[in-house]
Amino acid sequence: MDDATQSLIADAVNNQPQSTVTVLSSLLAVEDAIGYIPKEAVEAVASRMDATVNDVWAVATFYPNFRFDPPMEHRVEVCWGPSCHVMGAGRIIAAAQDALGLSDEGDTPDGKATLRYNTCLGACAHAPVMAIDHHLAGRVTPESARERIATALQSVPSH
Amino acid sequence: MATPTTADFDSILAEAQRRWQALTNGDRPWVRVGTGLAGEAAGGFEVVSAVKAALEENGVAANVSEVGTLGLCFAEPLLDVQMPGGPRVFYRNVTPEIARSIVNEHVAGGNPTMEHAIGYLGEPGAAPDGIPDLNDHPMLGQQQRIALRNAGHIDPSDLYQYIANGGYAALNQALTAMTPDEARQEVLASGLRGRGGAAFPAGVKWGFLAGNPDPNKYILCNCEEGDPGAFNDRGILESDPATVVEGITIAGYACNANRGYIFIRHGHNQPIDRTRAVIEQAYELGLLGQNILGSEFSFDVEVALTGDSYVSGEETALMEAIEGKRSMPRYRPPFPAQVGVFGKPSNINNVKTLAYVPEIIAKGGEWFAGIGTPADPDNRINGSSGTAILCLSGDITYAGLIEVPLGMTLRQVLFDMAGGVPNGKRMKLLQTGGPLGGVLSASDANLDLVLDFDVFRAAGAILGSGGIIVCDEDTCAVDLTRNLIAFCQYESCGKCFPCRMGMSHLLEILERISNLEGTEEDLALMRNIGENMQAGSLCGHGQLGFNPVSSALRYFGDEFEAHIREKRHTGDCSDQVFSPKLTRR
Ligand SMILES: Cc1cc2nc3c(=O)[nH]c(=O)nc-3n(C[C@H](O)[C@H](O)[C@H](O)COP(=O)(O)O)c2cc1C
Ligand code: SF4
Ligand code: FES
Ligand code: FES
């Protein structure tokens, strides 16, 4: 791990804005800072929180938003909650898989993008909803989903 | 006891009013753009950038604010222009190009652009030619906005705007003129029932905490809002977080508590950032912290974040998450009012519940109790006071967020206000109250149900958090049930096996039935699993987790039969091939 990442982790763990600092808040801070939870971060959180490495792993593995290897350049999320489901989320998921050359959730082999399914992105009134690099897009069609993904893949990486 | 004074509050209020006057009737126009989650999804932030760029090109000075949601989500991005002292003219489905032309013609040129206008709000008589009163829009006109009173109107990150519109008068009143118990009595008299699902009377729950003499007590505000199809809690926090901050502070006063947490799922930036912004300003103005408004009451509030976990919205799991642990429910007793977060007595309420509190204190419990449905003890109806804050999505003409008096019928809401199902199709099914709420058929009898917590329960549904997903005739009840159970399976925390295993088995069976491979025994098998889940699960997730299936069988049993016996699809499911699976590690 390079020094820059190491210091981003230290900064995230040690300089949290809120007054209640916990294992979970520290992990979320690291995820926001570098997009994943490397083992060095687990160790840093354990030492800051006076917890065991096991305790920290237990929390990190419970919440599916954490990933444990470096993030891809881009992140594509598609909602499959019931509002989106009835408005055609299945087709959006298929289009996203197709555009990324994937057959399920996961990372593309070229390291460019991650596809994630989401249970509700909170913009249900504009179903079906997707998010690219944390920006929401509603009322997407399979065609517009493909276009958005293509544009994102050509843009500057989000991390 | 030091006597609180209103002097501080009067000067804060005067400053707030001065600023509001400058915004609405000062030297420049005011442009507000909807940038809640639906606004963002529709492109609201791109519209904000386009407005700013066009103002610069024109060399025109105007205030531009990112507001929350007015609730007319179908019309997002919604943009409105207010010329000094004039009415607000609203434009719908604004794109960056439309925004530029609105700036050129209206903001710079002074002439409202008719083409995209949806209505105006302002003094009667101030109507711009040919533009209708927005209150005549069916979606807005029949609302009674209490918790949503400021949503879409004020800049949610500016506490002065909240105060200029009546905010913090209630806290000031409570601190100067009421004892904590009197404040609680007012909430008790209002009949306010919790809006987080169980509809438990808030004033009664506060009494459990108020009665605990511990000097360190917590009020927790639950904005986990993992229910897909529900966006009202985030809608309130992204549009008017200050009403919740004031509400939790009043709850703290009434219960003699000294700390509050507002608990939000990470990643929902508008609710999180805007709530944090008003909390910071409340501290600066002495509305939070030590000796609030010079009184003896001190109260601290902060935002706590959780990871992705639906069950962390359950009250004891939420306490685990605030403590930074795996959000798995705890055994009860002890109950939160004895042992809550960090081992301290705690009271937990939903965002909507707390959002009502300032208006209840300001206008009186009796006023709130006068809105809604009366009790009918013979039929086990306890009465539901106040309003329902509903999220309408799915196959519906006007999707969005509305606040209507309890006692309205579903038909009034879905047809008179929201315009029914588009494209000439038939309304078939309603999914209410989150995935655990199950489904209702859109039969005449069900459409005549009045919005009331107990009436819904008697019909086998939950009004709960207020999500209503409307499905037209193309939706297959089996397929939707499979989707709901896939969610319940994905979100089971894994602590108890009837829930963890039961959900997986239900999902497998439902997949089999949707693939036309189900057998006659499958229905009995599902019922058996459901009974075990209900009896052997620790929290509501497992206890209520069979609701989607039992309600679907109750109303759409014939569709299950068709899939199983006749090997026949009963809807359009050609694109629904997907059920993710995850078992928490
Ligand atoms: C699985 C599960 C998830 C829940 N999720 C939420 C939620 O997201 N928001 C909420 O306010 N209540 C949720 N609840 C209900 C809470 O446990 C609690 O009853 C509620 O927050 C109390 O607030 P109220 O009295 O104001 O309704 C959930 C309950 C269960 C069993
Ligand atoms: S019922 Fe389900 S969600 Fe609730 S504690 Fe048990 S396993 Fe977890
Ligand atoms: S269900 Fe898809 S955004 Fe809520
Ligand atoms: S699964 Fe019901 S119609 Fe195909």
Side-chain angles (χ1 to χ4, degrees), chain B residues 225 229-233 389-393 400-402 465-469:
Chain B
E225 194 166 63
F231 43 90
N232 44 21
D233 293 347
I389 304 174
L390 303 174
C391 312
L392 309 179
S393 67
L401 179 60
I402 59 172
S465 53
I468 300 183
I469 304 171

Side-chain angles (χ1 to χ4, degrees), chain B residues 56-278:
Chain B
E56 202 163 302
E57 278 162 30
N58 280 289
V60 175
N63 294 309
V64 181
S65 297
E66 292 171 6
V67 299
T69 176
L70 188 62
L72 308 182
C73 301
F74 65 93
E76 295 280 6
L78 195 64
L79 175 156
D80 77 275
V81 177
Q82 180 174 29
M83 301 307 277
R88 295 166 67 188
V89 177
F90 287 78
Y91 299 96
R92 60 171 293 174
N93 302 110
V94 174
T95 61
E97 295 72 52
I98 298 173
R100 257 176 246 119
S101 71
I102 293 169
V103 170
N104 293 339
E105 291 167 36
H106 191 172
V107 184
N111 298 312
T113 327
M114 304 299 289
E115 201 183 337
H116 304 284
I118 177 172
Y120 81 95
L121 288 179
E123 303 295 319
D129 275 348
I131 295 178
D133 188 335
L134 194 54
N135 281 317
D136 291 338
H137 193 286
M139 184 81 160
L140 204 56
Q142 299 174 67
Q143 294 199 36
Q144 179 164 9
R145 293 165 72 101
I146 302 170
L148 297 182
R149 65 195 180 282
N150 293 317
H153 301 309
I154 64 171
D155 177 343
S157 309
D158 184 346
L159 194 61
Y160 277 120
Q161 294 192 23
Y162 175 69
I163 294 169
N165 285 280
Y168 277 98
L171 178 67
N172 185 48
Q173 185 187 339
L175 292 178
T176 51
M178 296 168 123
T179 63
D181 195 56
E182 282 166 355
R184 186 175 73 82
Q185 291 301 334
E186 212 57 61
V187 173
L188 203 56
S190 76
L192 173 65
R193 299 174 67 176
R195 300 304 202 251
F200 191 82
V204 175
K205 203 190 313 191
W206 290 10
F208 301 149
L209 189 69
N212 190 319
D214 197 308
N216 282 305
K217 297 192 286 191
Y218 290 86
I219 308 284
L220 313 178
C221 171
N222 191 347
C223 186
E224 207 295 310
E225 194 166 63
D227 288 349
F231 43 90
N232 44 21
D233 293 347
R234 283 166 293 183
I236 290 171
L237 287 186
E238 71 191 5
S239 305
D240 188 19
T243 190
V244 178
V245 176
E246 186 185 0
I248 197 174
T249 310
I250 294 171
Y253 179 68
C255 299
N256 292 309
N258 56 335
R259 275 189 83 95
Y261 283 103
I262 298 178
F263 181 81
I264 314 176
R265 189 183 287 202
H266 82 109
H268 292 294
N269 295 332
Q270 290 92 319
I272 295 169
D273 296 346
R274 293 169 185 180
T275 305
R276 285 189 164 149
V278 292

Side-chain angles (χ1 to χ4, degrees), chain A residues 76-93 96 115-132 134-141 144-145 148, chain B residues 37-42 229 231 234 268 393-394:
Chain A
V76 177
E77 290 169 271
V78 187
C79 177
W80 61 277
S83 308
C84 291
H85 180 81
V86 301
M87 299 303 280
R91 270 174 289 149
I92 309 303
I93 288 173
L115 175 63
R116 288 264 298 152
Y117 307 144
N118 195 300
T119 52
C120 178
L121 287 161
C124 325
H126 277 255
V129 183
M130 69 189 298
I132 299 186
H134 305 285
H135 293 291
L136 296 175
R139 292 186 180 152
V140 290
T141 61
S144 71
R148 283 176 187 276
Chain B
L37 292 163
E40 175 187 341
F231 43 90
R234 283 166 293 183
H268 292 294
S393 67

Side-chain angles (χ1 to χ4, degrees), chain A residues 18-20 22 24 58-59 62-65 80 82-83 85 87 90-91 93 117 119 124-126 135-139, chain B residues 37 40-41 73-74 228-229 261 266 302 307-308 322 324-327 393-395 469 479 483 575-576 578 580 584:
Chain A
Q18 79 288 358
S19 69
T20 305
T22 65
L24 177 57
V59 175
F62 181 78
Y63 298 95
N65 50 288
W80 61 277
S83 308
H85 180 81
M87 299 303 280
R91 270 174 289 149
I93 288 173
Y117 307 144
T119 52
C124 325
H126 277 255
H135 293 291
L136 296 175
R139 292 186 180 152
Chain B
L37 292 163
E40 175 187 341
C73 301
F74 65 93
Y261 283 103
H266 82 109
E302 68 180 284
D308 292 355
I322 291 178
K325 302 176 186 153
R326 295 160 73 95
S327 59
S393 67
D395 297 309
I469 304 171
D479 176 66
N483 176 270
D575 55 3
Q576 309 296 17
F578 166 80
R584 279 173 201 256

